[in-house]
């Protein structure tokens, strides 16, 4: 078959339901065949997988490229961020667009669309965040146009008053109701605003501003109470809802209570699956200030349990790459109060989920694929174009070597100079990443010369939502 562009042979193809020895044929942007080994003999390019895993590219459901926050602008633009993503085996991102003052969210998404189309090395969509609620009906009236334009997911914050992000419960209810009516889904940053923000003031007033206090500023119940409230509201009006960056045992327990009959999902992040609050006692603790904070061992283990049994459905990085130069002066002056929340992470998803999940016996390979790719594609409406290795799907493919040893850290990013994972040793690493049939990264380097990532419109359907866990 000389018209096959790439034949990846001798690998183990892993999808969310099974893994098997098979060869994968790619023509143009698409996968055209998955065959028993050695059936297809010819192709323009033959890649020997040598027993490595062949995975659908990871879908990062949570990135903040080019998003100013708490007085800081990330060091990395779309190009640098998505280059790092591609080396790490992430082939798609959902990036946040937080409505800027003076623009409608639709206008702001159009601006981000232009930036991403010019600079992204991987495919993308967005989660819209409304910030202007002066006229609630007018804001609600915008939702349909945005969904019809292919952006079907949104996020709202229950905290961050000073940043102009926190919404009240009524607004939250009306927004999730309308988003669902229009065929979308709302993600919620669930933290109790009054308690979380006042505890921060109380700690600061007592001079307790060292990073070691950060987990005490936002104790677990600050998240769990808000998650419960969001679930209760969404249960009342049968809204589609997911909780972003879930960090607590309590949230995992709660979803069991509400999941039946509802489209409710939990997202968690690799850092909550890797570290505990002890990370705030280390030398570089000031760089690890994120919201919610890192938690206890029991939370970490419960998140893994939830990922394995379906209560936690997918993983996003919460990538937010602020530089030391922006964090150091703020921390010097006012401790955790002065540091923009966020850390890079778009690069590490696959290797961490393999090392902390599969290698430690917490996840099977198919479930790893499900929570890093397939479920996100279904929940956010881009399945089966993305999220699966199947004939007709986009050839977003990662060849993953389970035996390759590497050291993680900020060196994998072009601009970011901090990392949760500095000097962490891993075994299992992506060695080649395809986006729509083209090799973007190989052996730890970007090989694609120019950014040709595309916006992929999302459409949520009841069929996709059936049976997601
Ligand atoms: O600490 C975090 N998570 N920073 C980014 C903003 C957000 O809440 O996602
Ligand atoms: Zn958040
Ligand atoms: Zn975030």
């Amino acid at each position: 078959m000389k018209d096959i562009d790439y034949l990846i042979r001798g690998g183990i193809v892993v999808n969310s339901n099974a893994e098997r020895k098979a060869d994968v044929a790619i023509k143009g942007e698409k996968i055209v065949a998955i065959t028993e080994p050695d059936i297809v003999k010819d192709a323009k390019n033959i890649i020997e997988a040598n027993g490595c895993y062949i995975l659908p590219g990871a879908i990062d459901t949570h990135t903040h490229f080019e998003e100013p926050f708490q007085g800081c602008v990330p060091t990395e633009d779309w190009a640098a961020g998505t280059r790092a993503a591609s080396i790490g085996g992430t082939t798609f991102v959902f990036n946040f667009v937080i409505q800027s003052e003076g623009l409608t969210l639709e206008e702001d998404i159009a601006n981000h669309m232009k930036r991403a189309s010019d600079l992204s090395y991987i495919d993308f969509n967005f989660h819209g965040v409304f910030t202007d609620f002066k006229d609630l009906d007018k804001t609600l009236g915008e939702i349909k146009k945005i969904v019809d334009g292919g952006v079907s997911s949104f996020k709202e914050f229950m905290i961050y008053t000073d940043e102009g992000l926190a919404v009240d419960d009524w607004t939250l209810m009306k927004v999730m109701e309308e988003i669902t009516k229009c065929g979308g889904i709302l993600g919620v940053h669930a933290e109790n605003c009054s308690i979380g923000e006042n505890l921060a003031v109380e700690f600061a007033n007592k001079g307790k501003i060292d990073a070691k206090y950060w987990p005490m500023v936002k104790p677990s119940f600050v998240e769990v109470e808000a998650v419960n409230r969001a679930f209760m509201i969404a249960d009342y009006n049968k809204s589609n809802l997911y909780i972003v960056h879930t960090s607590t045992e309590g949230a995992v327990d709660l979803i069991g209570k509400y999941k039946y009959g509802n489209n409710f999902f939990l997202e968690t992040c690799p850092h909550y699956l890797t570290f505990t609050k002890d990370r705030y006692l280390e030398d570089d603790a000031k760089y690890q200030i994120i919201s919610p904070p890192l938690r206890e061992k029991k939370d970490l283990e419960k998140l893994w349990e939830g990922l394995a049994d379906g209560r936690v459905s997918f993983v996003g990085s919460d990538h937010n790459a602020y530089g030391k130069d922006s964090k150091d002066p703020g921390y010097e002056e006012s401790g955790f109060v002065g540091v923009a929340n966020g850390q890079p992470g778009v690069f590490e998803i696959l290797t961490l989920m393999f090392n902390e999940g599969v290698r430690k016996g917490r996840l099977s390979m198919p479930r790893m694929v499900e929570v890093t790719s397939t479920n996100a594609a279904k929940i956010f409406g881009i399945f089966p174009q993305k999220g699966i290795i199947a004939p007709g799907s986009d050839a977003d493919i990662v060849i993953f070597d389970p035996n390759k040893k590497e050291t993680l850290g900020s060196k994998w990013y072009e601009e970011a100079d901090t990392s949760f994972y500095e000097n962490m040793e891993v075994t299992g690493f992506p060695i080649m990443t395809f986006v729509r049939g083209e090799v973007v990264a190989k052996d730890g380097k970007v090989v694609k010369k120019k950014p040709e990532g595309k916006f992929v419109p999302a459409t949520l359907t009841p069929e996709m939502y059936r049976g997601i866990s």
Side-chain angles (χ1 to χ4, degrees):
M1 282 204 257
K2 277 281 181 217
D3 60 339
I4 300 295
D5 291 315
Y6 284 95
L7 175 66
I8 308 174
R9 72 178 177 199
I12 301 169
V13 173
V14 189
N15 274 314
S16 62
N17 54 355
E19 58 185 286
R20 68 176 173 117
K21 281 187 184 164
D23 295 348
V24 179
I26 299 170
K27 185 173 175 197
E29 299 191 343
K30 300 285 180 189
I31 297 166
V32 289
I34 321 279
T35 68
E36 293 299 310
D38 297 328
I39 302 280
V40 181
K41 301 278 183 210
D42 267 339
K44 289 178 195 146
N45 301 281
I46 295 183
I47 313 260
E48 302 293 349
N50 295 321
C52 291
Y53 291 117
I54 302 173
L55 313 174
I59 296 174
D60 191 340
T61 55
H62 196 137
T63 61
H64 295 277
F65 295 140
E66 301 194 11
E67 180 195 291
F69 186 60
Q70 296 180 316
C72 287
V73 181
T75 48
E76 301 210 325
D77 63 6
W78 267 93
T82 55
R83 279 195 291 256
S86 71
I87 299 171
T90 291
T91 54
F92 196 98
V93 288
F94 284 90
N95 199 62
F96 289 98
V97 178
I98 299 188
Q99 181 183 13
S100 314
E101 218 176 321
L103 294 180
T104 66
L105 182 54
E106 195 186 13
E107 289 164 344
D108 216 349
I109 289 171
N111 290 343
H112 283 251
M113 188 83 80
K114 170 90 182 72
R115 284 292 293 170
S117 303
D118 287 347
L119 297 175
S120 186
Y121 282 74
I122 62 176
D123 288 353
F124 56 87
N125 196 310
F126 304 100
H127 304 302
V129 181
F130 288 105
T131 58
D132 181 359
F133 291 103
K134 284 191 288 294
D135 182 341
L136 180 58
D137 287 337
K138 189 159 166 263
T139 302
L140 298 179
E142 268 197 61
I143 292 170
K144 185 159 183 343
K145 270 194 292 176
I146 295 173
V147 173
D148 289 348
V151 174
S152 301
S153 48
F154 299 80
K155 175 183 180 183
E156 293 301 330
F157 292 79
M158 296 169 84
I159 195 166
Y160 289 133
T161 309
D162 289 349
E163 293 78 3
L165 295 174
V167 298
D168 61 30
D169 294 343
W170 175 249
T171 305
L172 191 65
M173 178 160 120
K174 298 314 286 178
V175 169
M176 63 170 76
E177 204 171 79
E178 187 61 21
I179 288 171
T180 305
K181 207 165 90 189
C182 295
I185 182 166
L186 179 68
V188 171
H189 177 129
E191 289 187 295
N192 183 300
C193 183
S194 174
I195 294 173
E197 292 183 357
N198 279 299
L199 271 174
V201 172
E202 195 170 79
F203 270 79
N205 286 344
K206 289 180 184 159
K208 294 179 171 178
I209 53 170
D210 190 277
K212 72 178 177 201
Y213 295 109
W214 183 240
M216 296 170 228
V217 169
K218 292 183 166 185
S220 292
F221 84 93
V222 165
E223 174 175 288
V224 180
E225 183 283 326
V227 169
N228 192 37
R229 194 157 21 109
F231 280 160
M232 286 184 108
I233 296 168
D235 187 39
Y236 168 74
N237 59 20
K238 292 292 161 208
S239 295
N240 299 335
L241 177 76
Y242 78 101
I243 305 297
V244 303
H245 48 51
T246 307
S247 67
T248 55
E249 176 186 36
V252 180
D253 285 336
L254 272 173
I255 197 160
K257 181 170 154 201
Y258 287 104
K259 210 167 166 60
Y260 183 74
N262 283 313
N263 290 327
F264 290 180
F265 308 100
L266 296 181
E267 171 197 74
T268 190
C269 313
H271 41 275
Y272 300 118
L273 296 164
T274 308
F275 301 113
T276 67
K277 64 184 175 48
D278 290 352
R279 192 77 182 77
Y280 294 112
L281 303 175
E282 293 178 26
D283 290 346
D284 61 352
K286 64 182 166 187
Y287 303 127
Q288 321 306 339
I289 309 274
I290 39 128
S291 284
L294 301 167
R295 302 287 186 192
E296 311 269 350
K297 183 91 167 92
K298 68 183 170 65
D299 297 290
L300 180 155
E301 290 302 344
K302 191 54 163 265
L303 289 167
W304 279 114
E305 209 182 282
L307 271 171
D309 69 22
R311 283 174 293 173
V312 183
S313 297
F314 59 99
V315 176
S317 70
D318 205 354
H319 173 94
N320 220 331
Y322 304 119
K324 283 183 180 169
D325 59 346
S326 70
K327 293 195 178 202
D328 287 345
Y331 189 79
E332 206 56 48
E333 196 181 306
S334 48
F336 64 73
V337 183
V339 180
N341 295 190
Q343 267 289 48
V346 73
F347 163 77
E348 293 91 348
I349 292 182
L350 275 184
T351 187
L352 278 171
M353 294 306 288
F354 183 75
N355 271 271
E356 296 297 306
V358 177
R359 274 171 52 84
K360 293 190 177 171
R362 290 156 158 159
L363 289 187
S364 67
M365 278 305 291
R367 182 62 181 164
M368 182 185 101
V369 163
E370 192 155 50
V371 299
T372 56
S373 187
T374 315
N375 275 352
K378 289 179 177 174
I379 291 166
F380 297 115
I382 54 170
F383 185 83
Q385 184 178 350
K386 308 287 186 185
I388 183 169
I389 296 189
S393 295
D394 284 355
D396 294 355
I397 292 175
V398 176
I399 304 180
F400 189 92
D401 181 345
N403 299 312
K404 187 166 171 54
K405 293 189 188 307
E406 274 297 354
T407 307
L408 304 184
S410 51
K411 67 174 186 185
W412 290 100
Y413 294 91
E414 291 168 32
E415 310 287 341
D417 54 5
T418 69
S419 169
F420 283 119
Y421 311 103
E422 215 63 77
N423 301 320
M424 184 172 166
E425 289 179 359
V426 289
T427 302
F429 206 74
I431 53 172
M432 194 180 281
T433 304
F434 288 79
V435 176
R436 272 182 292 104
E438 273 199 77
V439 181
V440 176
K442 187 169 174 251
D443 296 328
K445 295 204 166 43
V446 177
V447 294
K448 185 147 170 57
K449 294 280 177 277
K450 53 182 182 133
E452 288 182 314
K454 274 193 191 152
F455 174 71
V456 176
T459 310
L460 276 50
T461 68
E463 290 70 39
M464 284 183 202
Y465 272 48
R466 211 159 287 142
I468 295 176
S469 61

